[in-house]
């Protein structure tokens, strides 16, 4: 699917309706579906704590706590400074990503394994917990660093999705309060997508579409938004 200027406004409504439908379906059938949960905690980051839940139909949620940091143009805050700010958003992952998550979980005995490395003097990269729950079993494992390649792959995937979700929040804030910084931020997002450190862009399509439709922004900013929207369409 290619995004073009005349179609963007209609696409926002389509995305929102699709997300609403997915949300309704999740609440009705989530209890009967298997789910994988990824929890992360590391102080000092923009989002020091978050939990991502994915159901086997690809629906799920991303919930995180926001730590206030500065760094926008002219010292603008990149997120609200009030304590206790949270993110709570529905997500919908592509079929390939969802299949990889559940296939990996089941290949690892639903995470009923020892996944933490026993090596000493490992840098603190954050406490992580992977959990599985379904009619075929339950399990979880926690780690700072794992030498299991499948665990590492899954960790990087969840962190890349979380990066995308936080980037959407950041773009929304910068669109309102730090417009001059938008181009460099979106250029950085483009790089992260190329390096596969940002995945499932369709989840921030409304944020990108809002930027693409804003005629008050620089043309190159809007064009970058359209380019990323096209990538999100290809990733569905």
């Amino acid at each position: 699917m290619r995004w073009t200027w005349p179609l963007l406004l209609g696409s926002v409504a389509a995305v929102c309706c699709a997300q609403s439908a997915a949300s309704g379906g999740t609440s009705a059938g989530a209890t009967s579906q298997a789910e994988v949960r990824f929890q992360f905690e590391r102080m000092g980051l923009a989002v020091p704590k978050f939990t991502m839940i994915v159901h086997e139909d690809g629906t799920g949620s991303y919930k995180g706590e926001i730590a206030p940091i500065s760094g926008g143009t002219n010292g603008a805050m990149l997120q609200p400074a009030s304590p206790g700010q949270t993110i709570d958003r529905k997500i919908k992952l592509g079929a390939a990503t969802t299949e990889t998550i559940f296939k990996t979980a089941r290949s690892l005995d639903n995470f009923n394994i020892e996944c933490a490395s026993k090596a000493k003097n490992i840098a603190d990269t954050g406490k992580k917990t992977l959990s599985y729950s379904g009619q075929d079993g339950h399990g979880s494992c926690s780690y700072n660093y794992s030498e299991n390649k499948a665990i590492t792959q899954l960790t990087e995937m969840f962190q890349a999705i979380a990066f995308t979700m936080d980037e959407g929040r950041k773009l929304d804030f910068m669109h309102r309060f730090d417009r001059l910084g938008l181009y460099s931020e979106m250029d950085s997002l483009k790089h992260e997508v190329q390096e596969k450190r940002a995945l499932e862009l369709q989840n921030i399509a409304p944020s990108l579409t809002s930027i693409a439709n804003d005629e008050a922004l620089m043309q190159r900013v809007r064009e970058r938004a359209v380019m990323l929207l096209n990538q999100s369409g290809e990733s569905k």
Side-chain angles (χ1 to χ4, degrees):
M1 172 182 176
R2 301 295 294 179
W3 293 66
T4 56
W5 294 109
L7 296 177
L8 287 174
L9 288 172
S11 298
V12 177
V15 171
C16 291
C17 289
Q19 289 181 336
S20 176
S23 174
T26 300
S27 60
T31 55
S32 62
Q33 292 188 62
E35 71 172 39
V36 170
R37 183 183 301 246
F38 178 74
Q39 295 169 283
F40 177 87
E41 180 176 350
R42 184 186 177 193
M43 296 300 102
L45 300 181
V47 182
K49 295 181 181 180
F50 71 82
T51 298
M52 194 179 306
I53 300 173
V54 179
H55 302 117
E56 203 157 9
D57 64 355
T59 61
S61 63
Y62 169 79
K63 298 181 180 181
E65 297 181 8
I66 305 171
I69 60 172
S70 61
T73 303
N74 297 322
M77 296 297 295
L78 292 185
Q79 51 264 339
S82 302
Q85 292 290 322
T86 60
I87 314 167
D88 188 353
R89 296 184 179 180
K90 299 295 183 182
I91 60 174
K92 181 67 170 74
L93 305 186
T97 300
T98 304
E99 181 181 3
T100 297
I101 290 172
F102 282 88
K103 183 177 180 180
T104 303
R106 287 166 177 147
S107 72
L108 297 173
D109 192 23
N110 301 337
F111 304 124
N112 284 304
I113 61 171
E114 181 61 52
C115 56
S117 172
K118 294 182 179 180
K120 297 181 180 180
N121 301 319
I122 297 176
D124 180 13
T125 61
K127 180 182 178 181
K128 311 166 191 73
T129 301
L130 281 164
S131 307
Y132 176 89
S133 178
Q135 294 182 350
D136 55 342
H138 301 76
S140 68
C141 65
S142 297
Y143 55 101
N144 167 46
Y145 171 77
S146 180
E147 295 170 347
N148 186 306
K149 292 183 179 180
I151 291 290
T152 299
Q153 178 190 28
L154 212 52
T155 301
E156 292 174 349
M157 180 177 289
F158 274 115
Q159 289 182 317
I161 298 168
F163 177 90
T164 297
M165 298 305 297
D166 188 51
E167 190 65 23
R169 175 191 62 81
K170 188 183 295 185
L171 290 175
D172 289 341
F173 190 86
M174 295 181 75
H175 190 185
R176 293 183 61 194
F177 302 112
D178 188 21
R179 292 186 165 211
L180 292 178
L182 270 177
Y183 183 78
S184 60
E185 187 65 34
M186 294 179 68
D187 196 51
S188 175
L189 175 57
K190 174 189 173 184
H191 177 72
E192 296 303 303
V193 170
Q194 291 174 337
E195 296 298 317
K196 300 188 184 303
R197 290 192 292 263
L199 296 175
E200 302 293 318
L201 284 181
Q202 69 273 11
N203 287 289
I204 62 168
S207 301
L208 294 171
T209 302
S210 178
I211 292 171
N213 282 332
D214 188 347
E215 296 181 359
L217 293 173
M218 292 185 293
Q219 181 70 15
R220 61 179 184 172
V221 172
R222 300 174 69 197
E223 290 173 350
R224 181 56 51 81
V226 172
M227 181 201 70
L228 290 168
L229 281 165
N230 284 329
Q231 289 182 281
S232 77
E234 293 170 357
S235 69
K236 287 184 179 180

